[in-house]
Amino acid sequence: MDSLQNDELSLLILLAGQGALQHALKTSTARLAKQLGVSQQTASRWLAQLSARGLVERKFGQVRLTPTAGEALAALRTQLEAA
């Protein structure tokens, strides 16, 4: 997998922290945008990018991180612990 951009990583960490690795999270791009301090359009674009990379599944106002996202976050954690 290609390297994650800072914006994608911020969104993945936020979603993981809210439990989106374990279950579908009911949220909106407006809510995510507020939490990230960006516009709704930016949050929507970031979600679309993550979805295109196979890291996020979106259905009917719900977001869930894929196993691939979990693996990427685990790899990042390992790198940080080694640093």
Side-chain angles (χ1 to χ4, degrees):
M1 166 176 299
D2 295 335
S3 300
L4 292 169
Q5 300 298 313
N6 287 338
D7 50 9
E8 295 171 324
L9 186 56
S10 296
L11 182 51
L12 282 180
I13 291 170
L14 174 68
L15 292 170
Q18 295 179 3
L21 278 169
Q22 294 80 22
H23 56 82
L25 177 67
K26 185 172 181 166
T27 192
S28 66
T29 54
R31 181 179 299 143
L32 293 172
K34 185 174 181 179
Q35 292 171 319
L36 293 165
V38 299
S39 71
Q40 181 275 329
Q41 293 86 353
T42 296
S44 181
R45 185 177 70 249
W46 291 355
L47 271 177
Q49 290 168 341
L50 291 173
S51 181
R53 292 180 70 173
L55 299 170
V56 170
E57 296 173 346
R58 299 169 71 182
K59 285 186 183 179
F60 309 110
Q62 295 185 339
V63 178
R64 183 177 185 129
L65 297 181
T66 66
T68 303
E71 292 166 9
L73 289 170
L76 175 63
R77 181 179 182 172
T78 300
Q79 291 172 345
L80 288 171
E81 288 173 347

